[in-house]
Amino acid sequence: MLQVQELSKSFGQKLVVDGVSLEIHKNKITSFIGPNGAGKSTVFNLISRLIMRDEGHIGLDEVDISNWKSNELSKRIAILKQNNSLQLKLTVRELVAFGRFPHSQGRLNEEDETKIDEALSYMELEEFSDKFIDELSGGQRQRAYIAMVIAQDTDYILLDEPLNNLDIKHAMNFMKMIQKLCYELNKTVIIVMHDINFASCYSDYIVAFKEGQIIASGSTEDIMKEHILEEIYEIPFAIHELNGKKICVYY
Amino acid sequence: MHKYNKKLIWIGLLTLAAIVLFLTININPKYIQYALKLRVPKIFAMILASICLGAGTMIFQTITNNRVLTPCILGLTSLYVMLQTIIVFFLGASHVLVTNRNLNFILSLILLAFASVLVFRVLFLKQGKNVLYILLIGTIMGQFFGSISSFLQRVIDPNEFLALQNKLFASFKNMNSSILLITVICIVLLFLYTRNELKQLDVIALGREHAINLGINYDKAIKKLMLSVTLLVGVATALVGPITFLGFIITNVAREIFKTYRHTYLIGGSILIGIFTLAFAQVLVEHIFNFSTTLSVLINLIGGIYFIATLLIQSKKA
Amino acid sequence: MRLLLKYKWRVLGIVLILALSLVSLSIGVKSISLSDLFSQDDLSIKVMLVGRIPRLVAVLLSGIALSVGGLLMQQLARNKYVSPQTGATIDGAQLGVIIAMVFIPSISLKEKALMAFLFATISTLIFMYIVQKIKFKDIIFVPLVGMMFGGVISSTTQFIAYKYDLVQNASDWLQGDFSLILKGNYETLFLCLPCIIIAYIYAHHFNIVGMGESFAKNLGVNYNVVLYTGLIIVSLLTASVVVTVGTIPFVGLIVPNIISIYKGDQLRTNLIDTSIVGALFLLVCDLFGRLVIFPYEIPIGLTVGIIGSAMFIALILRGKKHA
């Protein structure tokens, strides 16, 4: 159970996150949306302990994450940020093996090797496993990082704008993969996203941010409404239903 | 895995050969015992300096996430030079602090350790996490110390300056067992202090976000590692004097040879390459150049050329 | 009157320079008053003409040369922390000086300046080449590489110094010092005047080049020609100071940064402000060094080294807060 209560954070004088409370539904995909500077990425960074909060409470299984041992927490929550520009010469398999670090502290046992193999095959990366990651295409590299997260074997997966740098085809494949992860492997996924239609098509819940606060949150069905989106982005929206999915058009 | 071990063994053998060469070259059979008594402590000092600079530089490069910088630009070497200059200037070349190697060593060690901790307390803890900023400030402090030293050096009595000059260039002369023992103790203590973080280096190399994701207390680890890096460099400087570019040479050669991210091999390799380089360079200085140049000048020259070449090659690739 | 108000800071700066120049002229072991000069006291006039006026001119010119050189280099490298000091120009000039001293013993000052200029240019060009090609253009990383590169060059200088037993002498030549400036040995410094004029005329070009190659192409400016001209000017400015006075650190680093904090980055207006503040800064430091342990004096290299490093660290910390 991942719960956030009254979370606040300011940078200097500027309050970027202002009393945010939310609860993440298990085994579902939750998207964070909102305009630039709305605070969604800051909330993401706070939950993933990349930055320190000023006030509030982030609880995992009723215990605040600051009271968790860092290593134990990394067996429960995996995070993946956007800028994965590694200068290291790592093969795909070596990268994925890092996902086992929380469990084995660098000394891989047989179980670790199995998990790595599973993660590689799940992401269909077997043929690349000995290639260096900087030799891969953008989509392949993204898959390699996801494989690492899979090998980490956590209940929660947090992704920060994973679709940047991916073309439409790869973005779609990527989201399908995330859905598979969520429903087949029982993961709980949180994604920070820019594209509302991707959020609409692939997530179960949407949390919308504006000016550091949650302006709307609920099931995708409930959020994908014209007046709500117009309130968030302050531009006119039209929503159409296509094959049972809500697609918004803005102009 | 296997191939890395193999490489390590090869380098180890080469290093051993260099050590044997250094110990036995031009040796007069009549005075073997005497000659070895002089040469063995030098070898020990080389080993210790290589451990400090090899491990220190490699850890430093991992933390700063680039392979061009070395911790020697932190300003510690300039501080050492300033200390030696001040001692000779105010106390004279015949003062016990200049002539007694042990006292001088301990004083340098304490001062450098003190300065490292101080720089840390003031900068690292207050100014946040950007290591590069601290480096720039360290470098500027180094230039500040440098201005003071060069002022004192120009007004120092030329005869006394000769006594000082010996201290300004790295050398393996005047080693004795107590100095070596203190150095060993320092290294062991530092190793114990960072024993957990050393195991995490491979993950730390992935960068802050990945490291935190994988359950590392990143900020704390960086602080501890940086502190021990500065202390390692301080120990090496107090032991043999300033050798700016040695760390740069050995870590980069190690990376070229091993082509891996595993720090066990990178650090082990750097240390062995360091010993090899020092022993070999010392043979050159003593037996080929007949002391007409100093070890640190030689190392800096070779290291400097290598440094420029690395930068140019790297920039060509881009 | 309006004009006066618009430029009040500049006017204030110039007035300050004039006032401090008078102070500077009146300081020295031999005390000279105005009346001595009017009464045509031969010795007083000689001291003035041979010693004090040249010294004052040297101080002012060096201040201008160093700060303008720093400003130009900062623009061209597109990095606030790059200057002749952090970009290996000074180290190159030093190497040139020592090579000239060792290998051409009977060298004249002009030829020495030429050597210093040659080496300063080469090392600056290599550094800029590296900067342009480097992948990781972090604002701090670039000057760090420059300083390490400078370290390589100065270890070559040391190598030569050690070999010819000149280590102590080298520290003597290399630290900036105005006390040895006399009529006849500082005129090389006037080289910097045409450089500054060129810099002023083509200020907009340098400005544009500073914004990047594609930007310059777009505006029809020949990127490489302007870039190299700029770098040659920087090297000339630096070399002329290193040869006549010695190394004076930090001026080229601090002065342009201070100006850019208050005035932004418009090069042509900044050139004038930078020159004024640079001259004033060095004049103040020189006076300070001469008065603190009067009748002895602290060489300018040390004074500026101490004041400058403190100021620069303050600047870095400030810059970080704003970033």
Side-chain angles (χ1 to χ4, degrees):
Chain A
M1 186 63 126
L2 191 61
Q3 260 180 327
V4 175
Q5 282 159 8
E6 293 300 319
L7 196 62
S8 289
K9 171 78 186 174
S10 29
F11 292 118
Q13 298 289 318
K14 192 171 166 14
L15 192 61
V16 256
V17 175
D18 182 8
V20 163
S21 300
L22 60 97
E23 198 169 297
I24 303 297
H25 298 263
K26 276 220 105 172
N27 302 338
K28 300 286 180 200
I29 299 175
T30 306
S31 292
F32 287 6
I33 61 166
N36 291 335
K40 52 187 189 303
S41 283
T42 313
V43 171
F44 177 95
N45 285 340
L46 289 166
I47 297 176
S48 44
R49 69 200 186 279
L50 291 172
I51 54 178
M52 286 300 181
R53 69 198 121 159
D54 297 340
E55 273 168 50
H57 178 81
I58 301 169
L60 176 67
D61 296 346
E62 317 280 299
V63 179
D64 195 287
I65 56 164
S66 54
N67 295 329
W68 279 78
K69 273 190 145 175
S70 191
N71 189 45
E72 288 304 314
L73 199 57
S74 64
K75 293 180 193 167
R76 299 295 308 280
I77 301 180
I79 53 177
L80 190 58
K81 292 278 288 180
Q82 193 27 235
N83 50 341
N84 291 310
S85 55
L86 275 182
Q87 295 199 345
L88 295 180
K89 269 280 183 201
L90 282 179
T91 64
V92 171
R93 195 188 167 79
E94 284 168 338
L95 179 77
V96 176
F98 271 115
R100 297 307 296 168
F101 186 83
H103 305 270
S104 59
Q105 300 299 314
R107 269 187 292 275
L108 300 176
N109 57 30
E110 228 147 273
E111 192 202 338
D112 295 320
E113 300 286 356
T114 323
K115 293 262 183 195
I116 295 166
D117 289 333
E118 280 172 13
L120 284 169
S121 75
Y122 199 82
M123 286 289 105
E124 295 163 11
L125 285 166
E126 290 109 326
E127 53 176 316
F128 303 115
S129 67
D130 289 326
K131 275 205 166 180
F132 286 109
I133 43 172
D134 53 3
E135 295 166 355
L136 301 181
S137 73
Q140 291 165 342
R141 196 175 311 150
Q142 194 75 308
R143 266 155 58 203
Y145 280 107
I146 293 292
M148 166 177 150
V149 167
I150 295 174
Q152 199 176 337
D153 198 15
T154 56
D155 304 333
Y156 292 88
I157 297 176
L158 277 60
L159 304 165
D160 189 11
E161 302 195 14
L163 304 182
N164 282 7
N165 309 329
L166 293 187
D167 59 28
I168 307 171
K169 178 186 157 199
H170 282 106
M172 206 188 76
N173 287 339
F174 182 83
M175 288 312 297
K176 290 218 163 115
M177 240 154 45
I178 299 294
Q179 277 188 323
K180 227 169 93 180
L181 264 182
C182 179
Y183 306 134
E184 284 180 8
L185 302 181
N186 294 326
K187 309 285 183 193
T188 306
V189 182
I190 302 176
I191 310 182
V192 177
M193 278 223 249
H194 260 300
D195 192 313
I196 312 167
N197 287 328
F198 266 105
S200 167
C201 293
Y202 294 101
S203 52
D204 304 301
Y205 293 92
I206 293 182
V207 181
F209 289 82
K210 192 182 179 186
E211 289 166 2
Q213 293 176 325
I214 294 179
I215 192 168
S217 99
S219 68
T220 306
E221 191 76 3
D222 293 338
I223 302 297
M224 289 301 289
K225 296 209 163 102
E226 276 144 12
H227 70 275
I228 295 183
L229 291 180
E230 281 168 9
E231 197 186 342
I232 301 169
Y233 291 98
E234 296 172 351
I235 51 166
F237 276 91
I239 296 197
H240 302 279
E241 213 165 295
L242 286 174
N243 301 332
K245 298 281 177 199
K246 284 188 163 181
I247 302 294
C248 72
V249 183
Y250 38 90
Y251 35 81
Chain B
M1 216 48 174
H2 192 65
K3 71 177 177 193
Y4 298 137
N5 281 329
K6 223 177 193 172
K7 282 181 181 173
L8 212 56
I9 290 169
W10 272 111
I11 298 173
L13 288 176
L14 273 176
T15 308
L16 208 63
I19 292 177
V20 172
L21 175 72
F22 175 76
L23 288 177
T24 53
I25 189 170
N26 285 347
I27 206 163
N28 185 334
K30 271 190 206 155
Y31 305 110
I32 281 186
Q33 252 187 338
Y34 176 72
L36 285 183
K37 219 173 147 191
L38 284 180
R39 291 182 186 187
V40 169
K42 282 187 185 174
I43 279 292
F44 272 110
M46 288 173 195
I47 294 173
L48 293 176
S50 302
I51 292 175
C52 290
L53 290 171
T57 312
M58 190 56 86
I59 297 171
F60 181 81
Q61 292 179 344
T62 294
I63 295 173
T64 53
N65 191 20
N66 78 64
R67 43 190 289 190
V68 197
L69 300 175
T70 82
C72 294
I73 56 175
L74 269 169
L76 283 180
T77 41
S78 320
L79 181 65
Y80 170 84
V81 167
M82 185 178 82
L83 172 76
Q84 299 300 337
T85 311
I86 286 180
I87 293 176
V88 174
F89 182 78
F90 287 104
L91 304 176
S94 52
H95 191 271
V96 64
L97 277 178
V98 182
T99 50
N100 186 323
R101 178 78 175 95
N102 292 10
L103 272 181
N104 187 296
F105 172 74
I106 291 171
L107 184 72
S108 310
L109 194 60
I110 291 173
L111 184 87
L112 292 176
F114 183 72
S116 325
V117 176
L118 190 77
V119 166
F120 246 70
R121 288 253 158 250
V122 176
L123 293 177
F124 217 104
L125 302 186
K126 276 195 183 149
Q127 284 302 320
K129 286 138 201 135
N130 192 335
V131 183
L132 284 178
Y133 271 97
I134 292 160
L135 277 185
L136 187 61
I137 291 175
T139 321
I140 298 298
M141 290 305 285
Q143 303 210 334
F144 166 71
F145 299 139
S147 322
I148 296 181
S149 313
S150 62
F151 169 64
L152 292 178
Q153 281 170 22
R154 57 188 280 187
V155 288
I156 245 170
D157 181 277
N159 294 321
E160 303 211 316
F161 186 81
L162 284 180
L164 174 61
Q165 183 168 316
N166 287 330
K167 294 244 178 336
L168 299 183
F169 296 96
S171 88
F172 292 91
K173 275 180 278 178
N174 303 326
M175 293 299 160
N176 62 47
S177 49
S178 40
I179 288 179
L180 295 174
L181 190 66
I182 297 172
T183 312
V184 170
I185 292 171
C186 290
I187 294 175
V188 170
L189 285 178
L190 284 173
F191 176 73
L192 289 176
Y193 173 62
T194 50
R195 64 189 180 286
N196 288 324
E197 284 73 17
L198 288 175
K199 287 182 211 145
Q200 300 172 342
L201 276 172
D202 292 344
V203 180
I204 287 173
L206 293 175
R208 182 164 186 270
E209 284 155 3
H210 286 297
I212 291 180
N213 174 41
L214 295 174
I216 282 168
N217 195 335
Y218 184 82
D219 297 339
K220 187 179 151 210
I222 293 289
K223 270 173 205 160
K224 282 175 83 174
L225 287 171
M226 263 308 260
L227 182 62
S228 41
V229 165
T230 42
L231 288 171
L232 281 172
V233 174
V235 169
T237 311
L239 183 69
V240 299
I243 332 181
T244 316
F245 281 98
L246 183 69
F248 175 81
I249 304 179
I250 61 183
T251 50
N252 276 288
V253 172
R255 276 179 211 275
E256 284 304 319
I257 292 177
F258 284 100
K259 291 199 196 306
T260 176
Y261 64 94
R262 285 171 211 271
H263 284 76
T264 323
Y265 297 104
L266 289 177
I267 292 180
S270 312
I271 293 171
L272 288 177
I273 294 165
I275 301 167
F276 173 83
T277 313
L278 286 178
F280 202 73
Q282 191 69 21
V283 169
L284 283 184
V285 168
E286 288 184 12
H287 302 280
I288 310 290
F289 289 109
N290 287 321
F291 292 102
S292 72
T293 184
T294 75
L295 181 80
S296 58
V297 165
L298 196 68
I299 295 270
N300 281 349
L301 209 63
I302 299 169
I305 293 166
Y306 185 41
F307 172 75
I308 297 172
T310 309
L311 276 180
L312 290 178
I313 290 168
Q314 261 194 358
S315 57
K316 248 206 194 114
K317 275 186 199 154
Chain C
M1 195 57 206
R2 221 203 230 145
L3 216 61
L4 207 67
L5 269 178
K6 188 179 169 198
Y7 294 116
K8 64 181 174 209
W9 290 113
R10 282 187 195 168
V11 174
L12 183 71
I14 290 169
V15 169
L16 267 175
I17 289 178
L18 288 176
L20 289 174
S21 298
L22 287 179
V23 177
S24 167
L25 289 177
S26 68
I27 297 176
V29 178
K30 175 163 173 40
S31 66
I32 298 174
S33 66
L34 268 181
S35 57
D36 291 334
L37 291 180
F38 285 121
S39 64
Q40 304 209 324
D41 171 16
D42 268 356
L43 185 62
S44 295
I45 291 174
K46 216 171 191 172
V47 168
M48 272 294 165
L49 288 181
V50 175
R52 295 205 189 154
I53 291 177
R55 178 180 186 139
L56 176 65
V57 174
V59 170
L60 296 177
L61 280 179
S62 313
I64 295 171
L66 290 171
S67 48
V68 168
L71 176 68
L72 215 53
M73 189 130 166
Q74 215 181 73
Q75 279 281 338
L76 296 174
R78 282 195 274 168
N79 186 318
K80 274 202 292 190
Y81 299 132
V82 167
S83 74
Q85 178 185 8
T86 52
T89 317
I90 290 187
D91 302 288
Q94 290 180 340
L95 180 62
V97 172
I98 202 155
I99 285 179
M101 296 291 235
V102 168
F103 296 107
I104 321 169
S106 62
I107 195 162
S108 76
L109 199 66
K110 279 211 188 73
E111 289 161 328
K112 209 162 87 181
L114 193 71
M115 286 291 273
F117 165 63
L118 212 67
F119 279 83
T121 313
I122 293 170
S123 43
T124 316
L125 288 182
I126 295 176
F127 170 69
M128 288 299 281
Y129 178 78
I130 295 169
V131 169
Q132 283 190 321
K133 292 290 163 70
I134 224 163
K135 269 194 230 163
F136 180 53
K137 278 199 175 87
D138 186 277
I139 181 159
I140 304 287
F141 180 65
V142 169
L144 282 176
V145 167
M147 278 189 265
M148 277 192 71
F149 179 50
V152 174
I153 296 172
S154 61
S155 65
T156 317
T157 312
Q158 283 223 326
F159 174 78
I160 296 170
Y162 187 84
K163 181 126 197 172
Y164 293 91
D165 236 333
L166 293 169
V167 180
Q168 190 174 18
N169 285 335
S171 66
D172 203 4
W173 304 322
L174 296 182
Q175 191 162 45
D177 188 357
F178 284 114
S179 65
L180 302 171
I181 294 288
L182 290 172
K183 186 171 185 290
N185 72 2
Y186 80 105
E187 282 77 1
T188 317
L189 262 179
F190 285 107
L191 259 180
C192 64
L193 282 180
C195 294
I196 290 166
I197 293 169
I198 295 174
Y200 187 76
I201 295 173
Y202 291 103
H204 290 307
H205 288 78
F206 294 127
N207 233 178
I208 288 166
V209 162
M211 294 185 200
E213 189 163 3
S214 54
F215 197 91
K217 280 229 172 84
N218 175 40
L219 292 176
V221 171
N222 189 331
Y223 183 79
N224 281 327
V225 170
V226 177
L227 179 71
Y228 290 127
T229 314
L231 292 178
I232 285 172
I233 291 178
V234 170
S235 308
L236 254 177
L237 290 170
T238 308
S240 65
V241 176
V242 169
V243 168
T244 42
V245 186
T247 305
I248 307 178
F250 292 109
V251 178
L253 207 49
I254 296 170
V255 176
N257 268 305
I258 292 175
I259 300 292
S260 117
I261 287 172
Y262 292 104
K263 293 272 191 164
D265 288 323
Q266 220 287 0
L267 191 59
R268 186 173 279 182
T269 43
N270 279 6
L271 264 174
I272 300 173
D273 296 313
T274 305
S275 312
I276 294 174
V277 175
L280 190 63
F281 177 73
L282 212 55
L283 188 58
V284 171
C285 287
D286 181 52
L287 284 175
F288 178 82
R290 283 157 82 182
L291 291 173
V292 154
I293 48 169
F294 188 82
Y296 305 101
E297 65 170 270
I298 304 172
I300 190 79
L302 181 65
T303 322
V304 177
I306 292 171
I307 299 175
S309 50
M311 284 174 80
F312 187 62
I313 289 174
L315 269 177
I316 298 173
L317 297 182
R318 184 185 182 285
K320 188 159 190 258
K321 233 177 253 159
H322 283 241

